[in-house]
Amino acid sequence: LGLEADLRRALERDEFRVYYQPIVALRDGRAMGFEALLRWQHPERGLVPPDRIIPVAEESGLILAIDYWVMSEACRQLSAWHRQFPVEPPLTLNVNLSGKHFTRPDLADRIDAILQTSGVPPRSLRLEITESVIMENVNLAIVTLKQLHALGLQIAIDDFGIGYSSLGYLVQLPVDTLKIDRSFVSRMAQESGKAEIVQTIVTLARNLGMTAIAEGIETAEQRDRLAALGCDHGQGYLIATPMDREAATAWLARRLAEAERAPQGTDV
């Protein structure tokens, strides 16, 4: 209850922060965009990670307001990056979306308003929805995601492969990206079954016209293995830790400058 009360005050006092973790092309290291991650700069507890925030926010219903705040802040930042770094294809932004939004009839309108205000092209915003949320009510998920996709947004299934999903729903959902859970990535070298699952997800994504993003890449061996398996994009501590907007902007400037100097096809 105390944490819930603190969360309510945090929204009022502007204590939340958005951190950004880069997503790169595994083939050549090219910067593709970022995932927006919530942090809380608590006046007494310091920087509070999301695993302490999200469960309470979900239970209290505050997650609705927090998600919209994160999306608004992150889209404003993405718009600034688009102006500062006009690369092709344009940088993208991944934002996590709670399943609590799926029962709200104004979801598509709220997101469209954020895009209009920030000036971010809809195709540059990728919403991440967990597999378990989709499976809680597949019919509702299909309707909601089709509404969001009609705006031009990209849709990603987060933590793909660890839930209780049926592959049948994939052909019904307007999904653009499958995110490979870090639990598979971290154990690829030790367990051959994990590598085979990763290969299966990558192949499935390719056959369905989707992209695959691997999470939790911590070693060069994991990065190279994923690239060899044909995984499109990746994120993780090997590439960069989550950063505030200033650090993320500096990282992006360095990475794009390195890409310009590197011979074509060279890893950066």
Side-chain angles (χ1 to χ4, degrees):
L1 290 175
L3 188 59
E4 181 181 335
D6 282 352
L7 280 174
R8 292 185 186 278
R9 285 192 291 268
L11 275 169
E12 299 168 0
R13 299 174 181 175
D14 197 27
E15 294 174 356
F16 290 123
R17 302 288 182 268
V18 179
Y19 273 46
Y20 301 90
Q21 185 169 39
I23 297 173
V24 303
L26 292 179
R27 181 179 59 83
D28 57 10
R30 180 163 47 97
M32 305 302 297
F34 295 87
E35 179 178 356
L37 300 166
L38 176 67
R39 298 292 186 269
W40 178 14
Q41 189 64 52
H42 194 282
E44 298 172 359
R45 307 181 192 189
L47 201 63
V48 182
D51 59 353
R52 293 290 309 281
I53 305 171
I54 302 303
V56 177
E58 289 269 5
E59 187 175 346
S60 65
L62 287 170
I63 193 66
L64 298 174
I66 291 173
D67 276 359
Y68 286 133
W69 180 87
V70 170
M71 194 176 300
S72 296
E73 288 293 308
C75 282
R76 276 196 288 270
Q77 183 57 54
L78 181 63
S79 181
W81 281 330
H82 279 175
R83 293 191 297 272
Q84 186 175 357
F85 306 107
V87 296
E88 286 295 335
L91 297 168
T92 58
L93 180 73
N94 287 28
V95 177
N96 294 280
L97 189 70
S98 167
K100 297 286 186 182
H101 293 278
F102 278 35
T103 59
R104 308 287 295 188
D106 61 344
L107 173 60
D109 290 337
R110 292 286 298 271
I111 295 178
D112 187 45
I114 290 172
L115 293 171
Q116 294 293 333
T117 300
S118 64
V120 168
R123 194 64 184 168
S124 294
L125 181 62
R126 182 184 290 120
L127 301 178
E128 294 191 14
I129 297 96
T130 61
E131 194 176 25
S132 57
V133 164
I134 292 173
M135 294 309 298
E136 284 176 7
N137 190 329
V138 174
N139 292 331
L140 178 60
I142 291 173
V143 172
T144 303
L145 294 182
K146 283 184 176 180
Q147 290 175 345
L148 297 174
H149 210 255
L151 292 176
L153 306 170
Q154 296 191 61
I155 304 296
I157 299 182
D158 197 13
D159 303 332
F160 186 78
I162 65 172
Y164 44 91
S165 65
S166 165
L167 295 180
Y169 74 81
L170 275 180
V171 297
Q172 303 177 55
L173 290 169
V175 174
D176 303 279
T177 301
L178 301 181
K179 294 200 75 178
I180 303 169
D181 187 71
R182 66 184 65 246
S183 62
F184 299 127
V185 174
S186 64
R187 304 293 297 175
M188 281 193 306
Q190 294 86 356
E191 302 175 28
S192 61
K194 299 294 187 184
E196 291 171 359
I197 290 175
V198 171
Q199 177 69 84
T200 299
I201 296 173
V202 170
T203 302
L204 178 65
R206 184 183 301 113
N207 289 343
L208 292 177
M210 305 173 186
T211 58
I213 300 177
E215 297 182 294
I217 301 174
E218 297 183 353
T219 68
E221 180 185 4
Q222 292 169 353
R223 178 200 60 199
D224 296 343
R225 183 77 179 275
L226 287 162
L229 291 174
C231 186
D232 302 290
H233 305 143
Q235 64 186 103
Y237 281 16
L238 174 71
I239 298 157
T241 60
M243 301 169 277
D244 62 23
R245 62 182 180 183
E246 291 82 7
T249 301
W251 179 93
L252 185 56
R254 289 194 305 271
R255 180 56 67 102
L256 293 176
E258 291 169 359
E260 285 188 5
R261 292 193 301 267
Q264 190 170 6
T266 302
D267 291 347
V268 297

